[in-house]
Amino acid sequence: MTMMKKIILLIISCIFLCLATIAEAAPIEGLRSSITPSKIRLVLDSKAAIKYKLTQGDKLITVDLPQSSAKLLKPVLKDPLIESVVLKSTGKNSSRLQIGLTKKARCYLFTLAKPNRLVVDIYKIEKKEQKQRVKAGVEYRLLQDELAGRPLRAHVVSVAPNACYELRPFFAGGKYNSRGSLQKRASELKLPVAINASYFDFEVEGWVIGVTRDRGKLWTMDTTPRSALIIKKGKPAIVKDVAYNAYLELKNGQRVPVKGMNRGRIAEDCVLYNDSFGPSTRTNRWGREIKLKDGLVTALSTLGDMKLEPGEVVLSGHGAMAQLLMNVRVDQRLRLVESLSNEEAAEAETVLSAGPLLLEKGKVNVRIAEEQIARDIAVGRAPRTAVGIKEDGTILLVVVDGRSSQSSGLTLEELANFLLKLGARDALNLDGGGSSEMVINGRIMNQPSNGKERLVSVCLGLFPK
């Protein structure tokens, strides 16, 4: 090869090298930003792939772009975390993005292609997990992160199958069916862990929305089939379509339907009372009441407020229901027929229905329509309370904060997926919103969305076995 040809080839190689360098040093064409409750996102646009090097200090994030040129940009981001954002040139074909922070924050970078972008995510919520041993086999975890661009704070208690504690319902108001402070009652009972559980009606005294049974004794009822937590021979499970139905069969064959249990009596009503409600029915005189013991009528009254003793039940009727009871006499033997629509629940010692179902056999199955869940529960993000069961029988008690800058709450679908991520196989939603609360050793662990704890009704707690 002649010297001239060598010179020509060298010149051509230099030209190609220069062109490649120019091609690689593509300019940054734009800097965009977005702000959500949980993070700040910056996006750099380019015609070529963006190479970068991240250096992060306590209050300064530096992203060097060795093959990307840029014009000087100083966008203003209106967020308390951001002090300044500057994109500037550091050479003919290089640039630097610097982000000044008011406090240390987690940062994550990634690139996209077609079109080429560099994405910088700065998280406003500190991701953390704190663990605390409560008792042998019982662990509490505080989880703080972001989900779908929103802050999330959750409180999770795991109860191992071999723990010396069993999950049982209790009334927040005390010994009898009434509303009260979960924190106070859990402290009185010296429970290591307690959460709110059942839905309830604010207007009618003692009206719990759901079936509740403790150690074989029914406390509350609901005729709408909904999912429930059950404990049968010490083993927890979540089952579907639990509803209570009952009627009193009179001597003439007529049936008096039971419309409620251990709650205030309303118009055209028939309520069944037992000693879980209190020392007496607390009803007025505008009705008729009969007392049964082992199916035998032991007393009648039109005065209301009939006394309740262990082993006895009182049926209190108003209006047409009271008329049906007019022909009942003392010493008559009547048949009170009670049933639960789910066979497993019917045989279980402990039953607590709420809803909707969230997980079934390791798959998301949020049964809003099937369980007739009200719109204010079914739609949108809110504080949530739930119970889950793992494959090995471990029980998960979960309370998620919501309606605050620290935690946006979850939709029911998000709650189901969150429980799935925690390892639950089956899971049930409980009462949420302002009722959501977790108490550990007398201390409220979450942040009730009302600013203080709400007086609630039936709760779940860990009792010594």
Side-chain angles (χ1 to χ4, degrees):
M1 184 182 292
T2 64
M3 182 60 68
M4 181 59 68
K5 286 183 178 180
K6 288 182 179 180
I7 293 171
I8 292 171
L9 287 174
L10 181 60
I11 292 171
I12 292 171
S13 298
C14 289
I15 291 171
F16 277 114
L17 181 61
C18 291
L19 288 173
T21 302
I22 293 170
E24 287 180 359
I28 299 298
E29 297 181 316
L31 171 58
R32 298 176 285 118
S33 64
S34 63
I35 299 174
T36 70
S38 68
K39 69 183 177 185
I40 297 159
R41 170 167 285 185
L42 299 173
V43 181
L44 301 178
D45 297 305
S46 174
K47 287 184 178 179
I50 301 175
K51 294 184 178 181
Y52 65 89
K53 179 184 177 183
L54 171 66
T55 305
Q56 184 170 0
D58 285 349
K59 293 185 178 181
L60 183 65
I61 297 170
T62 302
V63 184
D64 284 304
L65 309 164
Q67 296 178 4
S68 300
S69 60
K71 294 180 180 179
L72 180 64
L73 293 173
K74 295 183 178 181
V76 177
L77 273 64
K78 295 181 179 180
D79 190 278
L81 180 60
I82 302 297
E83 194 169 76
S84 63
V85 177
V86 178
L87 177 64
K88 62 181 180 181
S89 173
T90 56
K92 186 175 181 181
N93 297 313
S94 62
S95 57
R96 176 177 293 160
L97 174 66
Q98 286 190 316
I99 306 161
L101 306 176
T102 55
K103 63 179 182 179
K104 188 175 181 179
R106 185 164 49 106
C107 180
Y108 177 63
L109 276 68
F110 61 94
T111 57
L112 297 172
K114 296 181 180 180
N116 294 292
R117 297 171 184 170
L118 173 65
V119 180
V120 182
D121 282 338
I122 304 165
Y123 291 90
K124 298 156 70 173
I125 291 288
E126 179 187 359
K127 182 178 181 180
K128 64 180 180 181
E129 178 176 351
Q130 296 176 348
K131 294 183 180 181
Q132 173 187 331
R133 179 184 180 272
V134 181
K135 296 287 183 180
V138 182
E139 181 186 73
Y140 163 77
R141 283 186 290 163
L142 169 65
L143 302 175
Q144 189 168 288
D145 204 345
E146 67 90 27
L147 180 70
R150 295 175 174 83
L152 171 68
R153 183 147 71 181
H155 310 265
V156 181
V157 168
S158 302
V159 185
N162 61 353
C164 297
Y165 291 88
E166 60 181 344
L167 193 61
R168 285 177 44 203
F170 65 95
F171 293 117
K175 180 181 177 181
Y176 303 118
N177 182 0
S178 60
R179 292 170 59 205
S181 162
L182 169 59
Q183 181 185 33
K184 179 182 178 182
R185 186 57 179 158
S187 298
E188 290 171 348
L189 294 171
K190 297 181 180 180
L191 302 179
V193 179
I195 60 171
N196 71 294
S198 297
Y199 298 107
F200 56 91
D201 191 299
F202 283 99
E203 303 298 326
V204 180
E205 179 187 35
W207 195 321
V208 175
I209 303 169
V211 176
T212 313
R213 173 189 278 165
D214 179 48
R215 291 177 290 186
K217 183 176 183 178
L218 280 163
W219 289 355
T220 68
M221 58 83 80
D222 195 344
T223 57
T224 303
R226 294 196 173 100
S227 297
L229 166 72
I230 67 167
I231 298 176
K232 182 180 175 182
K233 296 182 179 179
K235 293 185 178 181
I238 291 171
V239 298
K240 297 183 293 186
D241 300 326
V242 177
Y244 170 92
N245 289 286
Y247 61 87
L248 179 69
E249 188 172 68
L250 305 179
K251 285 295 184 181
N252 60 7
Q254 285 187 301
R255 293 180 176 182
V256 183
V258 175
K259 298 183 178 182
M261 180 183 292
N262 292 331
R263 62 161 172 80
R265 189 191 66 204
I266 59 176
E268 300 298 325
D269 209 356
C270 180
V271 179
L272 177 67
Y273 294 96
N274 59 37
D275 65 316
S276 298
F277 185 68
S280 65
T281 63
R282 303 196 291 275
T283 49
N284 59 35
R285 63 188 179 89
W286 307 110
R288 183 171 177 82
E289 296 184 336
I290 68 168
K291 183 177 289 187
L292 294 173
K293 186 170 184 178
D294 298 326
L296 185 69
V297 179
T298 60
L300 306 170
S301 176
T302 56
L303 301 176
D305 199 26
M306 209 170 200
K307 287 186 178 181
L308 295 168
E309 300 288 348
E312 298 178 339
V313 297
V314 170
L315 278 94
S316 180
H318 176 271
M321 297 297 102
Q323 289 297 317
L324 287 174
L325 299 176
M326 288 298 292
N327 294 324
V328 174
R329 297 289 180 264
V330 172
D331 292 334
Q332 280 186 342
R333 188 164 292 278
L334 304 179
R335 196 162 69 106
L336 177 63
V337 179
E338 299 177 280
S339 65
L340 288 182
S341 57
N342 181 287
E343 187 175 334
E344 288 182 85
E347 297 173 351
E349 304 87 47
T350 299
V351 179
L352 188 141
S353 69
L357 184 75
L358 298 171
L359 296 177
E360 183 178 16
K361 297 179 180 178
K363 294 184 179 180
V364 174
N365 184 15
V366 183
R367 301 174 79 238
I368 292 170
E370 298 92 329
E371 300 187 22
Q372 301 178 40
I373 302 300
R375 182 177 174 80
D376 62 327
I377 300 167
V379 178
R381 289 182 177 83
R384 301 287 183 182
T385 302
V387 58
I389 302 171
K390 290 186 174 183
E391 189 74 42
D392 66 355
T394 296
I395 296 173
L396 298 175
L397 304 176
V398 178
V399 170
V400 177
D401 286 332
R403 297 171 183 162
S404 73
S405 57
Q406 286 77 37
S407 187
S408 296
L410 296 176
T411 66
L412 290 176
E413 192 83 17
E414 289 170 342
L415 179 62
N417 281 289
F418 181 66
L419 281 152
L420 192 63
K421 187 177 178 181
L422 292 174
R425 180 180 183 269
D426 302 286
L428 172 71
N429 183 62
L430 304 175
D431 189 16
S435 298
S436 285
E437 184 178 354
M438 177 179 285
V439 173
I440 294 182
N441 292 325
R443 177 188 168 198
I444 300 175
M445 306 303 290
N446 67 308
Q447 296 180 345
S449 62
N450 291 348
K452 61 180 181 180
E453 69 170 342
R454 173 187 286 171
L455 300 183
V456 294
S457 186
V458 177
C459 306
L460 282 170
L462 291 184
F463 290 76
K465 287 184 178 178

